[in-house]
Each structure stands twice: as structure tokens, then as C-alpha cells.
């Protein structure tokens, strides 16, 4: 189900970006998509980073609390997809986003997949993934942090079928780990920080205040 589709066919970019924001935030106790960060909600922040990047279109996948969260995106030039199977985990959200991309009037060459709760993702990091994709010709470009490879990550369309077929409760990392010979990584140490609990959020706000 698509909430709204902007006129996205007239952009030159053939690399899309998909923001996964469908989770129920059970460990947080409140929708973390709506938590304030840098003067706006987490979801608005990462969406603005995506819009500022070279990627188009920007696709946001909502699920739990979608009606409550959707107004955060109403004024932004994005396409919002509602994943009705959000309780099945990230795989269902990725499938929803890939289905949308496959049905666009223009061919999408690749997609960057990112989460709404990695606060240090920037448009520069997103653009680095795209730059590495073009310079290395590798079909998967992943971020490297804490001794692992993960999202944000870029996937060539040759992996769209595999992404859409992920089993319940799997994520994009599974596709990365299954195809390591096709992966080039860029360092992103702060990618290890994501916000799952009230304590995580308190620590983030303390760090942010200390930096300002």
C-alpha cells in the first residue's frame, strides 16, 4: 500500500534509497521514529539526509504506528510505502520497498538501504556508498563497523530478487554475508551506534549536547 507517490520519474538518478522505519520500537516503549534529534524527529532527520544525497527516489517504509508517524513526512519529497506485514521483521519491509522500485516507470540501477535509528548516517556517507559503487564496479557496497559489515549498504538491482525473497526476521545483512565476494566496504565506525532503548537515547542526547 502506497500512501503517496511524488513525481519522481523526472530525476536523473537511477540509484534509489530506502529508509526502513516500520518497527514497533518495543524496547523503546514509544515510536523511536518520532524521538527528537537535532531539532527534528529521527525519521525526519534521516529522511532529510537521504534527500540531500545523490539518491532518487527516496522511499520510506512505514509499518507499526504508520498513521501516527506519516505526518512527519507529509511535506517531504518522498514516496511512503506501508508494510502491512511489519510484524514479520525487516525482510517484509525490504520486500515492500523492492516491489515499489520494480514497478516504477524508470529502471532503478541500485538501492541504498538504511535504517531510521542510526543517528550518525549522513548524506556524505550515503554518497560515499554511491561513489564506491561507480568506482569499484562491485554490486554490493556495505559499511564496515565493529568488525562487521552492515547498513547503510548499496545493492545493485541484480540483488533485488534476493532481497525481496529474504526469510522472516532476516535483513539486508544476510545478503551481504552470503555474497562477500561481491562486496566492497567503506569504513563507518559510528554505524555501530543505533538507538533501541531509552538508555541508548539518553546517551545519544548527552553526546550531542557535549558536542554543541
Amino acid at each position: 500500500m502506497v500512501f503517496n507517490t511524488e513525481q519522481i520519474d523526472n530525476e536523473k538518478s537511477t540509484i534509489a534509497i530506502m529508509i526502513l522505519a516500520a518497527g514497533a520500537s518495543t524496547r523503546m516503549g514509544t515510536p523511536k521514529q518520532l524521538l527528537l534529534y537535532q531539532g527534528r524527529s529521527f525519521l525526519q532527520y534521516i529522511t532529510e539526509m537521504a534527500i540531500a544525497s545523490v539518491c532518487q527516489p527516496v522511499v520510506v517504509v512505514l509499518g507499526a504506528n504508520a498513521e501516527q508517524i506519516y505526518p512527519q513526512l507529509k511535506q517531504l519529497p518522498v514516496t511512503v510505502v506501508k508494510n502491512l506485514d511489519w510484524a514479520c521483521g525487516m525482510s517484509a519491509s525490504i520486500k515492500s520497498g523492492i516491489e515499489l522500485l520494480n514497478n516504477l516507470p524508470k529502471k532503478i540501477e541500485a538501492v541504498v538501504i538504511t535504517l531510521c535509528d542510526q543517528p550518525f548516517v549522513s548524506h556524505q556517507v550515503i554518497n560515499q556508498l554511491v561513489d564506491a559503487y561507480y568506482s569499484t564496479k562491485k554490486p554490493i557496497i556495505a559499511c564496515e563497523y565493529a568488525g562487521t559489515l552492515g547498513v547503510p549498504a548499496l545493492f545493485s538491482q541484480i540483488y533485488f530478487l534476493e532481497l525481496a525473497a529474504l526469510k522472516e526476521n532476516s535483513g539486508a545483512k544476510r545478503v551481504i554475508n552470503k555474497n562477500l565476494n561481491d562486496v566492497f566496504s567503506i569504513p563507518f565506525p559510528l554505524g555501530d551506534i543505533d538507538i533501541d532503548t531509552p538508555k541508548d537515547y539518553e546517551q545519544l542526547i548527552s553526546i550531542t549536547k557535549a558536542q554543541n
Side-chain angles (χ1 to χ4, degrees):
M1 174 185 176
V2 179
F3 272 114
N4 74 311
T5 305
E6 295 288 332
Q7 188 61 38
I8 53 181
D9 188 38
N10 58 2
E11 297 289 343
K12 289 180 182 176
S13 172
T14 57
I15 297 186
I17 183 165
M18 183 194 309
I19 301 169
L20 305 181
S25 309
T26 49
R27 291 166 65 193
M28 185 63 70
T30 188
K32 59 184 171 185
Q33 297 92 329
L34 301 178
L35 292 174
L36 284 180
Y37 177 64
Q38 303 285 24
R40 61 279 237 192
S41 70
F42 264 142
L43 185 55
Q44 282 177 321
Y45 181 81
I46 186 59
T47 303
E48 287 174 12
M49 291 299 110
I51 292 166
S53 78
V54 295
C55 299
Q56 274 287 347
V58 177
V59 176
V60 183
V61 184
L62 298 183
N65 309 300
E67 282 71 22
Q68 186 182 350
I69 296 166
Y70 175 64
Q72 299 282 311
L73 303 168
K74 220 171 181 180
Q75 307 303 319
L76 297 174
V78 301
T79 300
V80 182
V81 181
K82 186 175 180 183
N83 168 24
L84 299 175
D85 297 322
W86 58 267
C88 294
M90 247 179 244
S91 57
S93 290
I94 292 171
K95 182 179 180 181
S96 297
I98 293 292
E99 283 177 354
L100 173 79
L101 295 179
N102 283 337
N103 287 306
L104 289 179
K106 71 171 181 177
K107 183 177 172 65
I108 298 298
E109 182 182 350
V111 63
V112 172
I113 297 178
T114 192
L115 308 176
C116 77
D117 65 350
Q118 285 176 296
F120 295 104
V121 172
S122 63
H123 66 273
Q124 290 96 335
V125 171
I126 297 166
N127 289 348
Q128 267 187 283
L129 293 169
V130 177
D131 288 345
Y133 170 70
Y134 284 125
S135 62
T136 67
K137 310 298 184 189
K138 286 281 192 178
I140 300 176
I141 311 295
C143 285
E144 185 173 355
Y145 44 85
T148 189
L149 300 173
V151 295
L154 180 150
F155 298 87
S156 161
Q157 61 86 27
I158 65 173
Y159 282 108
F160 283 11
L161 198 61
E162 191 171 333
L163 286 164
L166 281 166
K167 292 180 180 176
E168 190 171 324
N169 292 319
S170 296
K173 193 170 179 176
R174 185 176 181 85
V175 177
I176 295 170
N177 289 335
K178 273 181 68 181
N179 300 281
L180 289 174
N181 287 338
D182 280 349
V183 178
F184 181 83
S185 65
I186 64 168
F188 177 39
L190 291 174
D192 190 40
I193 299 173
D194 59 12
I195 308 303
D196 290 320
T197 66
K199 186 178 179 183
D200 293 339
Y201 181 55
E202 287 166 18
Q203 288 175 339
L204 175 69
I205 297 307
S206 296
I207 292 168
T208 307
K209 282 180 180 174
Q211 289 174 340
N212 292 337

